[in-house]
Structures are given as C-alpha cells and as structure tokens.
Amino acid sequence: MRPRPIGALRAGAALSPVLLLLLPLLGHLWAASTPGPSSSSPGTQQDNQLGAGRVKRGWVWNQFFVVEEYTGSEPLYVGKIHSDSDEGDGTIKYTISGEGAGTIFLIDELTGDIHATERLDREQKTFYTLRAQARDRATNRLLEPESEFIIKVQDINDSEPRFLHGPYIGSVAELSPTGTSVMQVMASDADDPTYGSSARLVYSVLDGEHHFTVDPKTGVIRTAVPDLDRESQERYEVVIQATDMAGQLGGLSGSTTVTIVVTDVNDNPPRFPQKDRPIAAGNFHLARAAPLQIQIAPFPGTPSSLLSPRRLGREQSQPPSMSPTEMYQFSIQESAPIGTAVGRVKAEDSDVGENTDMTYHLREESGSGGDAFKVTTDSDTQEAIIVVQKSLDFESQQVHTVVLEALNKFVDPRFADLGTFRDQAIVRVAVTDVDEPPEFRPPSGLLEVQEDAQVGSLVGVVTARDPDAANRPVRYAIDRDSDLDQIFDIDADTGAIVTGKGLDRETAGWHNITVLAMEAGELGPVSGGATVDRRWLGRSKD
C-alpha cells in the first residue's frame, strides 16, 4: 500500500477504510487552534480494537474553512474527501448531505473535492453542519459509517461598527470639573470577535473635541474643560466615531451624534437692568371722581360749628421733575387707597428654573417719610410689586425714595466666591396732587340762637380752607334741600350764618342745615359740605 500524506488515515490490512483528507482554505491560519491527531478534542474518534489482528480506524474530522464574501468567478475550493482503497477506477462514490449540500456545497463523486458555489456571509450564518459518505458505486453500500463535519465561514472585516441605541442625549451641569463623566456610548460590530481585530473597536471624537473627550476603549464621554457655561451655549452636538481593527489603518468606522445638554446651576446673581439709564415714569392714575356728598349727622353736646366736608375729587397729574440719575421712577395720586400697586420692577437672572426664583426687600431712605410702601413678589413673573402701605399726602411729601433689593431664594454655596447673589436699585415714587375739597375747621359743632332773635341776627360763623398747595379762596352756601323754608342765610365770603325769618322754639326746637364750602373761581367748583345743628334757646312768653 502506497504511503499517504501527513494527516491522512491509513487503512488496515483486512479492511478498506475510507480516508478523509482535510484541505481547508487558509487552514494554516487556524493550525494553532486545530487539534492534532493525538488530541482528544470533540469530533476525534480514537482507534477501536475490533479483535486480534483487526483494527478499524474511525473518522477524524477537523473543521473545513471557507472565506466569506468570495467574489471569484469559479467555485471556491473547500476541502477533499478520499479513501485509501480508492485506486482511481471509479468504484467509490463520494456523497455529502446536510446544510447546503447540493446547493451551496457540491462534491465531485469521483475525487471527493468539495466546492462552495455561492457567496457566503458569516454575519448571516457562521457555520454549516454536513455529513460525509463513501459508497460502493455498484451496490451503493456504505464503505464507512457516515460522519458529521463542519464547514466554518471564515470572517473578513466587512462590517463597519454601528451605534444601535441612538439617538444619544446626555447632560452635564455647567462649571463641572474637567473629566466629569457625561454618558457612555457603545457601538456594535457584526464581525467575528474571536478572529483577528475585525471587531476590536476604538472610540474617538470627530467633532466637539475642544469641549469633550471619549475613552477609546469604553466609550465614556467626559468634559474636557472646566468652564462650560450654559448661558453662553446650552447644548453641544458631539460626533463620536468607532473604528474597528483596533483603530489601525484600513479599519472600518461608523459614527453617531451625541446631544449634550448643559444644565443650569445658580451661578448668576440677579441684576436690575436699568442701572445705567433712567426709564420713563410709570404713572398710575385713579379714574376721574364724581362729586360725592358726605353728610355727618349731629351729635348733641359736641363743640359748636358741627361741620363735615363734602368732597368732589378731580384728577391732576403733575409729577415733579425726575432726576436723570434715578433708576426707576413711578408716580401715583395721593388719593390712591392702601393696597394700590404703584408699579412693577424685575431683576433679571440669566439662570433658569428655580435658580431664578427671587425675593425682594424694600426700605425707604433716611428722612424719606417712613414705610409708606411695601413690596411683594409675583411668583409667576418674579417681579417686585410695589404697593401703597400708608395713606399718601402730596402736601406733606411729594417724593418718596426707596431702595429695592433683589435676592436669589436658592443660593448654591459652591459658587459663593463669585460674589453676592443680590442687587439693589433706587426707586423714586412721585406723589401727584389731587384737587381736594375744602375742609371745615373745626369739623363739628353746635350753634345756638334765641327764638326771639331778630331777622338778620348772627347765628354763628363756619370756616373752611383749601387743603391743597394752591390754597384757593373758599365761598359758602346753604344747601336749600336742607332748608326749604329758607329760615337761614349765609355770607358767601365770610361763612357767617344769620336768621332769614322769625323763629319759634315751640314749633321747631332744632334745625339741621347743610353748609357747602367751594373753591372760588372754578367752573365746576370743588366743594365740601357740613350739616349744621341749630338748637333754639327758648324764652318764656309769659
């Protein structure tokens, strides 16, 4: 019997065993991982002693290899099946069955050569399991029991890395230290991770490297600078690339865009925006008032000249000149009721969210007249609302100067070294004059007269004055609705009340009349009124 090449199976003298020669393509690349004849690896059947002088060797199968993505015009040679007893006379027929037999893989019945007829893709199927038979061509009898073998598809670097879990969105707080972890991205490579470096990935930053880095092995993205500022740039689009072949020249690559949002910290204090220039005064006016008569009922035993003002308000808006150095200027009528909003002021804060929440404090400057105003905070707009807290009087004080202070509610102690998180502004409130009606002085009283007084006798004198700065002359009159019989008259200039008719205590012991005081020289006089109680002192007629 002629000698066989290394790796062949030699038939015993009494049997005609079949020998399978393994001739894989690129088999030398896999020599280190392929068990030798003495190995006890799976798939190797040791020789079995069948009896004295008879030895039957089993099939010894190693893997066949076929390179993927073969683009040649001829079928690709895979390996060879051969029998020691094959003398080349065509009496032995070689066949295969299993996955791809007869379609993808064809065998030459005479020579046992196996070829791949189709282009294979390892990423779709990594190996094929088949069975080999050696038969007598005349009887189709198996000369050896069939044996299973594997054809493994050998990988080439034909798949680029892919980022499968995008879109990627991460966040990092502004002013975070260099090296702060942002997030991790990972790419996947469909190539064989056990073969070469086809699936060994290296990460790098293609765009955004001035602000962020990526760990080449783990894909962890970190900050590259310590001064990310949300107020300057709120988000970054960073392009991360993954390259296979461990980043070597010729490796395939894939990339993805990572959106990194810079979140806010409280690193900006509140600032009043009008520090360098004044703003136009925000005037606040009440509606034009209609004449309102207020009549006060008499009280027995009160001092003489029981008088009460009858009011007629009229709008005036003549705020004093505003200094150009003031920051915020408002005006409000002196008649504004307590609780009236004078105006709104807002300190700006470049931060967002709760970092912009503010509280305001207000104090009047020394000698400014006390706490005439208070401040509240609009929780929705974060504006300071300046509100009247005490009654205002143009004649007493025409201008109130207050200091408004804005403070952040939530201060981050990490940024205390950036300065105080508060700001101050001066607010000037001008009180505008309202033309007020004359006021009677004293405001109440009681007049008495004898019932036998002659017509024209003096009953008493009432006095009123204009409380406004103009201090216009006052004229007097009796409201004839309160003195239908015209029992009394009044001097329009002096306010002297005299009898106009004879009096009778037994008929009427009391008379209630209303006296009007009006500013002189007005087309629509501003007037005040008072009710005068008259008690007649009776004298016996006996």
Side-chain angles (χ1 to χ4, degrees), residues 125-146:
K125 190 170 179 62
T126 59
F127 64 89
Y128 295 82
T129 302
L130 298 97
R131 292 176 297 278
Q133 302 93 27
R135 299 177 179 272
D136 185 294
R137 184 176 294 277
T139 64
N140 205 37
R141 178 177 61 87
L142 283 174
L143 300 179
E144 288 288 340
E146 67 176 19

Side-chain angles (χ1 to χ4, degrees), residues 134-400:
R135 299 177 179 272
D136 185 294
R137 184 176 294 277
T139 64
N140 205 37
R141 178 177 61 87
L142 283 174
L143 300 179
E144 288 288 340
E146 67 176 19
S147 183
E148 186 177 275
F149 67 98
I150 292 175
I151 299 178
K152 185 174 182 180
V153 182
Q154 188 173 351
D155 186 44
I156 64 171
N157 189 22
D158 62 335
S159 297
E160 70 276 4
R162 295 181 182 274
F163 292 89
L164 303 179
H165 303 292
Y168 295 95
I169 300 177
S171 63
V172 63
E174 61 178 331
L175 300 181
S176 293
T178 301
T180 300
S181 176
V182 179
M183 65 180 303
Q184 183 180 30
V185 295
M186 296 185 68
S188 177
D189 195 313
D191 290 322
D192 188 355
T194 66
Y195 176 69
S197 299
S198 297
R200 184 180 172 190
L201 305 182
V202 171
Y203 298 94
S204 60
V205 180
L206 282 185
D207 189 13
E209 66 277 9
H210 297 301
H211 298 96
F212 299 94
T213 63
V214 65
D215 188 291
K217 294 182 179 179
T218 65
V220 174
I221 301 173
R222 301 180 184 275
T223 57
V225 293
D227 55 355
L228 292 176
D229 184 12
R230 187 202 64 83
E231 288 72 35
S232 299
Q233 186 168 346
E234 189 173 2
R235 64 177 54 226
Y236 293 84
E237 303 294 331
V238 180
V239 180
I240 303 296
Q241 177 178 268
T243 305
D244 61 18
M245 298 298 292
Q248 298 177 8
L249 186 63
L252 303 178
S253 62
S255 64
T256 187
T257 298
V258 179
T259 300
I260 299 178
V261 178
V262 181
T263 59
D264 188 51
V265 299
N266 193 5
D267 61 333
N268 289 282
R271 287 289 180 262
F272 288 101
Q274 301 296 337
K275 271 190 169 294
D276 298 327
R277 58 184 177 88
I279 62 172
N283 294 325
F284 178 90
H285 295 295
L286 298 175
R288 181 178 298 274
L292 174 63
Q293 177 175 327
I294 302 176
Q295 179 171 321
I296 300 177
F299 294 93
T302 56
S304 61
S305 303
L306 177 61
L307 304 172
S308 176
R310 177 181 176 184
R311 292 175 176 266
L312 176 64
R314 189 184 62 177
E315 177 187 7
Q316 281 192 357
S317 178
Q318 296 178 353
S321 59
M322 298 294 183
S323 168
T325 61
E326 299 298 332
M327 297 174 190
Y328 293 91
Q329 300 172 356
F330 297 97
S331 65
I332 188 168
Q333 290 180 332
E334 62 176 331
S335 59
I338 292 174
T340 300
V342 177
R344 290 174 173 247
V345 177
K346 184 177 181 181
E348 302 293 341
D349 193 320
S350 300
D351 296 319
V352 295
E354 69 173 16
N355 293 327
T356 64
D357 288 352
M358 295 186 202
T359 183
Y360 294 90
H361 299 305
L362 192 70
R363 64 177 176 84
E364 291 204 35
E365 290 189 333
S366 177
S368 186
D371 50 351
F373 305 96
K374 67 178 181 178
V375 64
T376 61
T377 303
D378 188 320
S379 59
D380 294 327
T381 64
Q382 298 302 314
E383 291 176 301
I385 307 173
I386 301 173
V387 179
V388 176
Q389 184 169 248
K390 290 185 177 180
S391 297
L392 304 174
D393 184 17
F394 173 82
E395 287 69 35
S396 299
Q397 185 172 349
Q398 299 181 14
V399 176
H400 294 261

